[in-house]
Amino acid sequence: MRQSTIDEIALGAARSVERILAEEHPGGAPQRQAKIQVMFADWIKHAVCREVRNDRRRVARRS
């Protein structure tokens, strides 16, 4: 994965965390923490799926 891609993913994740922290959460800190954990899991899943797709393209080009 290119550094620019990693930077884009990190920036998107940071913005999402800032948005979550700014929101009101009726459950308080535990609910906010759970929401952040789910968000990070989604970002990691997105990055892994993207890298898998890119690897397939690289392999297809070599063949």
Side-chain angles (χ1 to χ4, degrees):
M1 190 178 297
R2 293 181 311 202
Q3 185 62 46
S4 60
T5 303
I6 294 168
D7 292 344
E8 287 175 25
I9 291 170
L11 181 61
R15 287 181 179 159
S16 295
V17 168
E18 288 174 353
R19 183 183 44 78
I20 290 170
L21 291 175
E23 293 174 353
E24 279 294 317
H25 296 281
Q31 184 185 15
R32 188 174 20 254
Q33 180 180 355
K35 207 168 183 182
I36 290 171
Q37 287 172 338
V38 168
M39 183 272 315
F40 275 127
D42 288 343
W43 275 100
I44 291 168
K45 179 181 173 187
H46 168 74
V48 168
C49 289
R50 182 177 177 163
E51 191 60 21
V52 167
R53 276 193 315 270
N54 289 343
D55 281 346
R56 285 188 195 136
R57 287 185 197 137
R58 284 185 209 111
V59 168
R61 277 187 242 145
R62 284 186 218 150
S63 300

